[in-house]
Amino acid sequence: MRHLFRNIATSVLLLSAGWIPLQAQSVGTISGTVIDQVGKPIAGASVEIRNEATGASRDVNCDDNGKFSAPDLPPGTYTIAASAPGFALAKRSGGQVTAGQTLDVPISMTVQTLTTTVNVNETISMAAATAPSGNTLAATSAKTEVTSDFIKNFMSPVADYSEYVNYAPGTFSLNPNGIGLGQGKTFFRGFQDGDYTMTFDGIPFEDTNTPTHHSWANFPSGWTDSVEFDRSPGLSSNFGPTNFGGTINLFSPPLVSDPDIRATVSYGSWDTRILQLDADSGFFGPGNKNSFLMDIQQLLSNGYQTFNHQKRDAGYGKYQYRLSSRTSLTLYGGLVDIWTNTPNTTNPTRAQVAEYGDNYLLDGTQYLPSGAPDPYWYGLDTYHVQTDFEYATFSSDLGAGWTLDDRLYTTRYWNKQFYQNGGTINLTESKPSGVDKLNGYRHAGDETTATKQTKYGIFRTGIWYDWAYTDRYQYPSNPISQLDTPLPNFHEHFITETWQPFAEFEWHPLQKFVVTVGVKDANYLMHLDQYQDNGKTVGCLGGVASTQPGTGAPICIGGTQFAIHQIDYNDLLPNVAARYYVTNSWSVYAQWAEGSIIPPSAVFDVPNGSPASTPTPTLAKTYQTGTVLKRRRWTLDADLYYVHFQNAYDSYVSPVDDETYFVATGPTNTKGIEAESNVILGWGFSVYANGSLGSAKYQEGVNIPNGGLWVADTPKNVETISLLWRRQNWDIGLVDKRVGTLYDDNGTYTYTIDGIKIPYPVDQAVTINPFNLVNVFFNYTIKNQSWLRGSKVGLAVNNLTNNRSIVGITPGTAATATVAYTPSSTDQLNLLPGRSVMVTFTAGWAPRR
């Protein structure tokens, strides 16, 4: 019997020994390490591993070294999502599990902007992880985060940031020459470009005379990894010159642990070509403390509009050195150089569209049949823009709950333009029709934020300082010889200094309840010199206007060379926000905040540069409440908002003292509801939709002629719906956006109020009918750990239906208070650019470590 039992036991052991490796060969393992931006492991991070084909998922936790492992997984394609308190959700898709093999997946997580350390044990929502955009459970305001995945796979390779935010609730962008091929403008909630701040990696950038932006000039396609769009003045710790209407935060690609290199060629409509090279070094050097990434690219395009050519050369590099597990230094530098033939007027007239087609802008004829120069010859318009953007960031965990972030930066915009002004060429030396123009400025500044974790909450304090030098001029010039007149239309130098110290406390009275209270002191000091000109702006500044012998060109005799101005603006901007976690997957919030905009430098553009009074900053008060729900297979973000804000200044000459005064054009009340949702249907399909319904109207009241009328470029409703299919290596999407009825203004009309003539815009004068834009995207990307990781074949079709609707009108007829707008052949039309198709090939190489 002993021999029998021994033989049976031996047989069982032998069979077990054979069965175990057999079983191991039929399943695989996913393991990896979860780290933060400085390479420090994130202990206790939650990781969900989901089979993309079956939807089956498994949850595991990281150990103290940030490592995780999930054995016994059936072969297939998996998505790995990691979450941790204080960090934004991170995911890697397309992971291929092979029988008997272990797939190593490193995951790098980034700190979530202004999040808290409240531990709500949030369940990972795959619907949130796959949503193109959405808010976060840590929200304190109406916010949309546009993901890296959506930008890479569901945007044209020429798209810029105006296209990235185009699909946020209530938002729309316009670019008549095609996305990424000219200046895009973004509108939301009654706000237009210049009414909101834009930042790149936390650093504000904007024009210095008015706080507008240039979508094509600073950060071309591929330089922005993700976007955070806050439709509110934000918290006190949000730096920026115009958090009046909101803030669009752009973020550069993160530094990753694995090396790879990608070469991309894109070609498409209007002979548009992009050559691009990207490289990530991964962690290298002793202790893996170094990492680096770079991009160089060239874009060439004829543009949708005739002869609106563009050439853009650009490159950037980002380097990080981790001095220790607590401290890092990050360096960034980018350069952009653009040549284009864009004229000063970027839209054709009705007459030109009727004769030449809706994409007419310029032509290739240098001379008319009469032998005279053709005013629409593209060679008369040259546009050379140079920008650079650099920063150095020092981040350190100082211990005892203190952290420090300091960012030193500089950025430059230099736009040298020459253009023919109007449809008739004038070569006389006294009044030539060409214009020699410069808008150039340099910013330099520093942002410092110190944070203290306490048992009661989080205290933040810091300061933003910005110094900006500006040189701007316009000289009438001979369009053929490019010889300038002695005096300009205007010429000004100015320096603007900005200080914004702040203090803010994020109080945690309960584990799931957070209240944030803060105040920011917004200070602006402007030193401005205005030079003598030909009378278009300030005139001869005490001198006598005369003409140059032999040419008849305007000159000044005597007077001061330039007028000197100095003005200081200051506002205290408070805010209060609260958030409550109803459950682990549901939060609600409420916010009240103030934002401001200082008057433009043009307030001094009056005869002799001496306005009778100087306007004060305009303010916006925002009230909003919302909710964020993140279930496993569906999400819902919704908000209600009400904003009361003052509007831009206009000028008038008083009949009493003949002085020029600046007045606000009437306060505005904007209100509405916004919502967005993502639903996972299964089998790789998901549906994302958003919508908004609201109004932005001038306040009714005594002496407000435009009271009750709509603010220009404010749709009554905006809707977006997307059907996305993501399975293994495929990303396919159909996106349809509809913009409801909106209105354009028709110049200004002078009203007489209490005996004083005051100009007001002729609002709600031109109706713009609803329009749709449909885009389609097909992508096949190698996403696993093979040597070809990052290789891609893509097809992007923008404006699939070739819709060329009128989306904006600048009337050619004079404005009056009583006569309604009627179409005119001289109206300038802003039209949707026609269908564009772009094909992309990327060769990726990822050497194994």
Side-chain angles (χ1 to χ4, degrees), residues 124-404:
I124 294 177
S125 167
M126 293 309 299
T130 59
S133 62
N135 210 334
T136 68
L137 286 170
T140 54
S141 63
K143 186 184 300 183
T144 295
E145 296 188 353
V146 185
T147 66
S148 174
D149 177 75
F150 190 64
I151 291 174
K152 291 176 181 176
N153 293 306
F154 302 101
M155 296 282 180
S156 170
V158 296
D160 56 32
Y161 65 71
S162 65
E163 184 72 3
Y164 300 161
V165 301
N166 190 35
Y167 298 107
T171 305
F172 74 101
S173 298
L174 301 174
N175 192 334
N177 198 38
I179 58 172
L181 301 177
Q183 182 60 56
K185 293 295 183 181
T186 300
F187 307 86
F188 64 95
R189 288 188 177 183
F191 299 108
Q192 59 184 340
D193 189 22
D195 289 342
Y196 50 84
T197 289
M198 295 201 66
T199 72
F200 185 81
D201 283 350
I203 298 169
F205 65 95
E206 78 287 328
D207 275 4
T208 49
N209 58 313
T210 59
T212 53
H213 310 90
H214 306 279
S215 64
W216 60 330
N218 290 99
F219 310 106
S221 56
W223 287 23
T224 300
D225 181 71
S226 59
V227 180
E228 180 191 77
F229 184 7
D230 188 346
R231 298 182 297 280
S232 81
L235 299 177
S236 298
S237 49
N238 296 132
F239 296 126
T242 50
N243 295 15
F244 181 79
T247 302
I248 297 177
N249 301 297
L250 313 178
F251 297 99
S252 63
L255 295 154
V256 297
S257 57
D258 291 337
D260 61 40
I261 185 169
R262 299 170 303 283
T264 299
V265 177
S266 297
Y267 182 80
S269 299
W270 319 316
D271 199 24
T272 302
R273 293 149 284 167
I274 299 179
L275 299 176
Q276 194 165 351
L277 179 68
D278 297 272
D280 295 278
S281 68
F283 297 156
F284 67 93
N288 282 332
K289 292 184 176 183
N290 300 269
S291 53
F292 175 77
L293 63 83
M294 56 157 284
D295 170 278
I296 55 174
Q297 61 174 271
Q298 182 183 74
L299 178 143
L300 300 170
S301 179
N302 292 336
Y304 172 68
Q305 296 173 314
T306 54
F307 293 96
N308 193 354
H309 305 136
Q310 183 180 149
K311 177 186 177 184
R312 183 181 69 208
D313 297 305
Y316 84 89
K318 182 178 179 180
Y319 168 78
Q320 186 176 88
Y321 178 70
R322 290 166 287 282
L323 288 83
S324 69
S325 61
R326 292 173 173 264
T327 304
S328 67
L329 176 66
T330 304
L331 305 176
Y332 180 96
L335 298 170
V336 180
D337 186 87
I338 299 173
W339 286 92
T340 181
N341 298 108
T342 305
N344 189 52
T345 301
T346 57
N347 295 319
T349 64
R350 285 189 190 273
Q352 291 170 331
V353 169
E355 185 173 0
Y356 302 111
D358 58 15
N359 67 329
Y360 179 79
L361 186 65
L362 300 169
D363 59 44
T365 305
Q366 188 171 359
Y367 296 99
L368 299 172
S370 64
D374 183 349
Y376 295 104
W377 179 51
Y378 72 89
L380 296 179
D381 300 283
T382 58
Y383 202 136
H384 187 200
V385 179
Q386 297 173 302
T387 69
D388 62 72
F389 195 96
E390 297 85 23
Y391 68 77
T393 299
F394 177 81
S395 301
S396 182
D397 182 346
L398 303 177
W402 282 100
T403 59
L404 176 68

